[in-house]
Amino acid sequence: MAPNIYLVRQRISRLGQRMSGFQINLNPLKEPLGFIKVLEWIASIFAFATCGGFKGQTEIQVSCPPTITENKTITATFGYPFRLNEASFQPPPGVNICDVNWKSYVLIGDYSSSAQFYVTFAVFVFLYCIAALLLYVGYTSLYLDSRKLPMIDFVVTLVATFLWLVSTSAWAKALTDIKIATGHNIVQELSPCKKKEVLCYFGSVTSMGSLNVSVIFGFLNMILWGGNAWFVYKETSLHSPSNTSAPHSQGGIPPPTGI
């Protein structure tokens, strides 16, 4: 029991010494492993910023001749996390349009699960990229000498690639439904607009270009993480033995790793 405790303390001591030896080395950023990680970090920022910061509104023109001959505008404001069923229509202040309480009518659909999953995952990726870059740049020797850290990095890379595919696909489908729910079909869904004395026309909806960009960056992130999996794999013990065992047995010098 005592020798085991001694070994544990010795390993902890060695790890502490390595962690205390923070030294900036920018060379890993010149290699694909570090350079692609920087691109992943930047792409994750665009992914959650373009989706999480969106706000828009949809407008409907309403009239009820002969009482109201000119069109009045009612608007429904929506945004992240896209709980459209909580976005009610608002008439102009102090204006009674066709004796209808428009505030009791809302958009259709709740797409918060897909949107929040996408944004939350992008934020976690952003934080992981910072931690990984800190390890690459500040603790290069610790990363290279360890067998577990590259393996953990490799597993996280594979999982992140898969989750980027899942989260982006779900968000792309939700975005398509959001465009439909806030588009021309609104007029057909509002019960007051089905009355003969009430005339409703679709006005406009805020451009969702930034949301389209968020989908593009989601798939871009998937490509970056999938491509980087090979460079992370080269740092693991799964790849190294095949390249280093032969040179060592012949007394040669093993080839350099990716970093």
Side-chain angles (χ1 to χ4, degrees):
M1 186 66 181
N4 292 335
I5 296 177
Y6 174 75
L7 289 175
V8 172
R9 289 180 177 177
Q10 191 176 30
R11 290 178 181 178
I12 295 176
S13 177
R14 291 177 180 176
L15 179 62
Q17 291 176 356
R18 290 180 179 180
M19 292 299 292
S20 62
F22 178 81
Q23 190 173 10
I24 296 179
N25 178 16
L26 298 180
N27 288 329
L29 299 182
K30 302 176 183 178
E31 301 292 338
L33 180 65
F35 178 72
I36 295 178
K37 188 64 67 179
V38 174
L39 295 181
E40 293 171 350
W41 176 65
I42 296 174
S44 66
I45 296 176
F46 279 96
F48 68 75
T50 51
C51 178
F54 179 84
K55 286 202 177 287
Q57 66 178 21
T58 183
E59 298 180 350
I60 296 179
Q61 304 293 327
V62 181
S63 64
C64 45
T67 307
I68 299 179
T69 55
E70 62 178 18
N71 291 331
K72 299 295 183 179
T73 302
I74 59 172
T75 61
T77 303
F78 61 94
Y80 178 83
F82 302 100
R83 294 188 178 94
L84 300 187
N85 54 0
E86 297 180 2
S88 61
F89 286 92
Q90 302 292 330
V95 178
N96 182 11
I97 304 177
C98 303
D99 293 327
V100 176
N101 182 18
W102 293 101
K103 294 182 180 180
S104 62
Y105 295 93
V106 296
L107 297 173
I108 298 176
D110 183 357
Y111 307 97
S112 59
S113 58
S114 298
Q116 288 177 324
F117 176 43
Y118 178 81
V119 171
T120 302
F121 175 64
V123 171
F124 276 116
V125 167
F126 166 76
L127 297 176
Y128 178 79
C129 287
I130 293 178
L133 288 172
L134 181 64
L135 183 63
Y136 294 167
V137 174
Y139 300 97
T140 307
S141 59
L142 176 63
Y143 182 82
L144 294 177
D145 295 340
S146 174
R147 294 173 62 90
K148 293 182 179 180
L149 290 179
M151 185 61 68
I152 293 173
D153 196 14
F154 178 60
V155 172
V156 171
T157 300
L158 294 180
V159 173
T161 303
F162 174 73
L163 290 180
W164 271 121
L165 174 62
V166 173
S167 62
T168 305
S169 299
W171 167 233
K173 175 60 171 62
L175 178 57
T176 301
D177 294 338
I178 290 171
K179 291 179 179 179
I180 295 175
T182 58
H184 293 80
N185 292 336
I186 302 177
V187 176
Q188 302 174 5
E189 300 295 337
L190 288 174
S191 56
C193 295
K194 297 178 182 179
K195 300 177 181 179
K196 293 183 179 180
E197 62 272 17
V198 179
L199 301 179
C200 300
Y201 304 94
F202 177 76
S204 63
V205 63
T206 304
S207 173
M208 300 185 189
S210 63
L211 299 182
N212 294 331
V213 172
S214 69
V215 173
I216 294 174
F217 271 101
F219 286 114
L220 176 61
N221 272 289
M222 183 196 69
I223 295 173
L224 288 174
W225 282 83
N228 199 31
W230 165 248
F231 298 104
V232 180
Y233 169 75
K234 290 174 64 177
E235 303 298 331
T236 65
S237 57
L238 299 175
H239 179 268
S240 299
S242 61
N243 291 336
T244 58
S245 57
H248 275 301
S249 62
Q250 298 173 5
I253 300 176
T257 60
I259 294 182

